[in-house]
């Protein structure tokens, strides 16, 4: 079975632009979470979606938004990009909404904002 | 802000030796999870220990949890070059069922 997939792998944008990142969870998983990982730090929670509903949101500005589709894939949108948005964006899927079980991570999308 | 703090930040040992990493956290938890990350790519789940468990084993991995001290340790025995990676602890809090709070990680280097 395919694991969690993310696209694109790498992305270069300039300040003020908008970006959309995509994630496909493991088949059968209904929960998708998004994390931002700045170089040298641990991941920071951005969003969690379960059954197409937002279940949790981290401490990120409204420039960050996400959605989950009927096939449980998800998109993360970031508007008005800042230099500080440069990071590895990780998507994780799990079978349950709650964090009582392990998360399966994709390879990430590395975003560079110039 | 990050809940967990790993110690040490970096660890370099010879192949075959044991590696111990520690994680401290601040609030009460439902469970604590350890993950491995190679070269800034995706994270791989290693082991999950629940708040009512004190020790758990998986292959060459041993995890302990001390909820009174709000700390956990990850022991990798008989290390191999392939264990070179960053190791993160992540906590699932009692108040929030939907997010994991992560530490900054320990960078482990296994020298051949």
């Amino acid at each position: 079975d395919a694991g969690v997939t993310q696209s694109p792998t790498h992305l270069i944008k300039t300040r003020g632009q908008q970006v959309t990142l995509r994630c496909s969870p493991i088949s059968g998983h209904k929960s998708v979470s998004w994390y931002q990982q700045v170089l040298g730090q641990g991941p920071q929670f951005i969003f969690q979606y379960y059954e197409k509903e937002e279940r949790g949101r981290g401490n990120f500005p409204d420039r960050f938004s996400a959605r989950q589709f009927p096939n449980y894939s998800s998109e993360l949108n970031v508007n008005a990009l800042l230099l500080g948005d440069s990071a590895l964006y990780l998507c994780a899927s799990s079978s349950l909404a709650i964090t009582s079980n392990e998360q399966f991570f994709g390879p990430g999308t590395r975003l560079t904002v110039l | 802000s990050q809940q967990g703090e790993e110690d040490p930040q970096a660890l370099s040992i010879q192949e075959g030796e044991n590696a111990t990493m520690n994680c401290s956290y601040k609030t009460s938890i439902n469970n604590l999870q350890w993950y491995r990350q190679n070269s800034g790519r995706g994270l791989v789940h290693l082991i999950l220990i629940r708040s009512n468990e004190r020790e758990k084993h998986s292959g060459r991995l041993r995890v302990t949890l001390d909820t009174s001290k709000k700390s956990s340790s990850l022991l990798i025995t008989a290390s191999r070059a392939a264990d070179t990676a960053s190791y993160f602890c992540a906590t699932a809090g009692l108040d929030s069922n939907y997010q994991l709070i992560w530490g900054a990680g320990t960078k482990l280097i296994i020298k051949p």
Side-chain angles (χ1 to χ4, degrees), chain A residues 37 42 48 88 98-100 103, chain B residues 31 35 37 40 50 92 97-98:
Chain A
Q37 186 179 23
Q48 197 227 19
L88 181 68
I98 58 177
T99 51
S100 61
Q103 307 278 301
Chain B
N31 66 68
Y35 287 80
Q37 186 176 41
R50 302 191 188 282
N97 283 326
Y98 304 109

Side-chain angles (χ1 to χ4, degrees), chain B residues 7-112:
Chain B
D7 168 51
Q9 290 185 326
L11 180 62
S12 180
I13 61 173
Q14 292 293 138
E15 194 168 20
E17 293 180 339
N18 295 341
T20 300
M21 289 158 272
N22 302 296
C23 168
S24 59
Y25 56 91
K26 297 173 184 173
T27 61
S28 297
I29 60 171
N30 179 291
N31 66 68
L32 185 145
Q33 303 176 31
W34 285 91
Y35 287 80
R36 183 186 73 226
Q37 186 176 41
N38 291 85
S39 303
R41 299 300 288 174
L43 294 121
V44 175
H45 181 268
L46 295 176
I47 201 164
L48 181 153
I49 187 166
R50 302 191 188 282
S51 59
N52 61 352
E53 297 175 310
R54 291 296 166 259
E55 188 170 313
K56 207 161 182 179
H57 297 254
S58 177
R60 294 183 296 113
L61 306 179
R62 182 174 79 103
V63 168
T64 61
L65 179 64
D66 187 336
T67 53
S68 66
K69 295 181 179 178
K70 291 187 170 55
S71 67
S72 173
S73 67
L74 170 67
L75 168 67
I76 303 174
T77 60
S79 63
R80 305 168 182 169
D83 295 329
T84 294
S86 292
Y87 291 81
F88 294 88
C89 68
T91 54
L94 290 178
D95 295 336
S96 173
N97 283 326
Y98 304 109
Q99 63 172 290
L100 292 176
I101 308 296
W102 299 74
T106 292
K107 188 174 177 65
L108 176 65
I109 296 173
I110 307 299
K111 296 179 288 186

Side-chain angles (χ1 to χ4, degrees), chain A residues 37-65:
Chain A
Q37 186 179 23
V38 174
L39 194 62
Q41 297 182 21
Q44 296 265 15
F45 173 76
I46 309 176
F47 286 110
Q48 197 227 19
Y49 277 78
Y50 182 76
E51 289 278 21
K52 302 180 287 295
E53 289 189 9
E54 182 184 303
R55 295 300 182 97
R57 184 186 182 111
N59 188 25
F60 279 80
D62 292 343
R63 300 185 295 108
F64 288 76
S65 63

Side-chain angles (χ1 to χ4, degrees), chain A residues 44-98:
Chain A
Q44 296 265 15
F45 173 76
I46 309 176
F47 286 110
Q48 197 227 19
Y49 277 78
Y50 182 76
E51 289 278 21
K52 302 180 287 295
E53 289 189 9
E54 182 184 303
R55 295 300 182 97
R57 184 186 182 111
N59 188 25
F60 279 80
D62 292 343
R63 300 185 295 108
F64 288 76
S65 63
R67 55 180 174 169
Q68 187 175 35
F69 299 98
N71 66 354
Y72 304 112
S73 66
S74 177
E75 286 182 353
L76 175 70
N77 296 284
V78 187
N79 294 321
L81 285 167
L82 304 174
L83 295 179
D85 295 331
S86 294
L88 181 68
Y89 288 84
L90 295 161
C91 170
S93 78
S94 65
S95 56
L96 299 177
I98 58 177

